[in-house]
Amino acid sequence: MDKLAIVVPCYNEEEVLKIASEALRGVLQDLIQKEKIAGDSFILFVNDGSKDRTWELIEEEHAAYPEKVCGVKLAGNVGHQFALTAGLMTAKDMSDVTVSIDADLQDDVSVIEEMIDKFHAGCDIVYGVRRERKTDTFFKRTSAQMFYKLMSLMGVKTVYNHADFRLMSKRAVEEFSKYKETNLFLRGMMPLIGYQTDSVYYDRKERVAGESKYPLKKMLALAFNGISSFSVKPISLILGMGLFIIFVSVIALVYALISYFTGHVVPGWTSLILSIWFLGGLQLLAIGLVGQYIGKIYIEVKQRPRYNIEKILTADGESK
Ligand code: UDP
Ligand code: MG
């Protein structure tokens, strides 16, 4: 039977921690009873340097349910993505499959069962996807939609309306651990891993208690990080713009020469206008060109795995 670890990053979540713990323990109980997961499956709370009583509460829960509730205490606040990674890395050595979920129970815990079913059917990654965003504010909904559009425009593969509620098998987490980059944008990295994946759908609810730990500033930072960590397209855009301006300068040349010969110009205008267009274009082109190299360096320094072998068929049979 597979041992499940539910990984929950928590930052100042004292109001929801006990509620979350109870709900998730219920899920574990239910799945254990149905014999879908091993009896020693557990919840792993990651305290992301909370300033409130979150860690004390995790300790209390652990004392009350030592086998069901485990905890990781990070020395300081490192942010959601790093906290979640710390949890996954810790959990992978203690379990066969992980499910990551936010502490606020906005994601529907009842679909965890569906995730496990898909895992047993052979999936290594199962994405939790929000069906609708009724409970989100108009602003959050539209900004999120714009973000997903922009991401796909920039050539980044993401799962639409999927945040960080997902199941990952042990081997998927292990493959993920080979991505050594520091600028983490987890939901963009998962599709790179490969393997068989699937999605489960649910309606996102309101926060059970407390307030969002993702103010606009953090949301924008996450969005910008997502794009800049996955795409060097903005650099190509500069290069393209440079080429375009040089092209415009040719048109400007023709126009300026005609104006010059028909004699409707102030002295000095022709050479000035031509220099402005041509030099502007040349500068953009040069920046774009230098940028192309920087983009390559950027991709190289990430040292991402180039491939992930799932199976090898040889004379001795199947391996890995
Ligand atoms: N979180 C974290 N570190 C942070 C900010 C948030 O671990 O610096 C956790 C938080 O406790 C929650 C999850 O990340 O479990 C998502 O945060 P939140 O629910 O506030 O985001 P929202 O749902 O509003 O986007
Ligand atoms: Mg939330």
Side-chain angles (χ1 to χ4, degrees):
M1 199 83 70
D2 293 304
K3 185 171 171 181
L4 169 69
I6 302 181
V7 180
V8 191
C10 308
Y11 176 61
N12 293 347
E13 299 284 13
E14 60 181 9
E15 281 146 295
V16 295
L17 199 106
K18 294 249 166 173
I19 310 172
S21 171
E22 196 181 331
L24 292 171
R25 274 187 282 113
V27 172
L28 285 182
Q29 197 68 45
D30 182 45
L31 290 175
I32 292 169
Q33 232 154 41
K34 289 180 179 161
E35 299 195 341
K36 292 192 175 183
I37 55 172
D40 52 356
S41 298
F42 63 99
I43 306 162
L44 184 68
F45 286 110
V46 182
N47 178 37
D48 183 16
S50 301
K51 295 184 189 74
D52 62 3
R53 293 189 60 247
T54 302
W55 179 248
E56 282 75 31
L57 293 177
I58 294 173
E59 281 178 326
E60 276 172 30
E61 284 294 295
H62 174 67
Y65 310 95
E67 270 136 47
K68 287 277 141 297
V69 180
C70 302
V72 172
K73 186 183 186 192
L74 297 178
N77 178 249
V78 292
H80 179 208
Q81 303 283 293
F82 290 123
L84 180 51
T85 306
L88 288 173
M89 290 308 136
T90 312
K92 87 171 158 47
D93 302 323
M94 303 155 69
S95 63
D96 305 302
V97 54
T98 63
V99 168
S100 55
I101 188 167
D102 290 350
D104 57 10
L105 299 181
Q106 284 192 284
D107 308 311
D108 189 354
V109 294
S110 66
V111 301
I112 293 179
E113 180 170 358
E114 228 179 297
M115 287 179 165
I116 294 288
D117 290 341
K118 301 219 160 166
F119 166 67
H120 286 142
C123 288
D124 277 272
I125 301 175
V126 183
Y127 300 106
V129 176
R130 291 167 209 170
R131 217 177 266 126
E132 269 176 79
R133 289 172 162 265
K134 271 192 229 128
T135 55
D136 279 345
T137 57
F138 174 77
F139 175 73
K140 187 138 188 166
R141 204 163 52 223
T142 24
S143 60
Q145 257 155 14
M146 268 161 57
F147 170 66
Y148 286 110
K149 291 254 162 66
L150 192 64
M151 286 298 269
S152 74
L153 221 72
M154 290 289 155
V156 188
K157 270 199 269 175
T158 46
V159 180
Y160 187 68
N161 264 348
H162 158 70
D164 284 305
F165 180 29
R166 93 177 70 77
L167 174 144
M168 291 176 82
S169 68
K170 189 189 183 85
R171 65 172 185 172
V173 180
E174 231 133 55
E175 187 58 30
F176 164 65
S177 72
K178 292 183 195 159
Y179 288 73
K180 302 288 182 204
E181 61 202 79
T182 309
N183 291 290
L184 288 180
F185 182 66
L186 299 179
R187 64 192 90 158
M189 296 165 77
M190 298 310 150
L192 300 178
I193 292 174
Y195 291 135
Q196 189 179 330
T197 64
D198 205 341
S199 302
V200 295
Y201 298 86
Y202 66 96
D203 294 311
R204 188 155 155 104
K205 291 179 269 198
E206 307 264 11
R207 227 174 199 282
V208 175
E211 50 193 45
S212 174
K213 309 295 181 290
Y214 261 99
L216 182 64
K217 207 174 111 202
K218 268 197 201 169
M219 234 160 67
L220 287 177
L222 182 76
F224 183 71
N225 187 22
I227 292 169
S228 58
S229 298
F230 280 84
S231 177
V232 288
K233 267 210 178 150
I235 298 174
S236 303
L237 283 179
I238 297 178
L239 192 69
M241 223 148 72
L243 282 171
F244 176 71
I245 303 259
I246 294 240
F247 172 71
V248 172
S249 84
V250 174
I251 299 176
L253 173 78
V254 175
Y255 174 70
L257 285 181
I258 293 172
S259 307
Y260 179 75
F261 284 117
T262 48
H264 301 301
V265 291
V266 184
W269 177 81
T270 317
S271 51
L272 209 61
I273 207 74
L274 282 181
S275 315
I276 289 173
W277 277 102
F278 184 68
L279 279 179
L282 205 64
Q283 276 169 346
L284 271 182
L285 194 75
I287 293 171
L289 214 60
V290 173
Q292 290 290 314
Y293 287 95
I294 295 178
K296 290 236 159 104
I297 296 169
Y298 181 57
I299 289 169
E300 291 291 338
V301 293
K302 278 185 198 283
Q303 299 210 345
R304 285 180 176 167
R306 279 169 287 192
Y307 44 75
N308 173 12
I309 293 176
E310 186 167 351
K311 256 179 208 161
I312 304 173
L313 286 179
T314 60
D316 307 328
E318 202 174 277
S319 68
K320 185 152 185 185

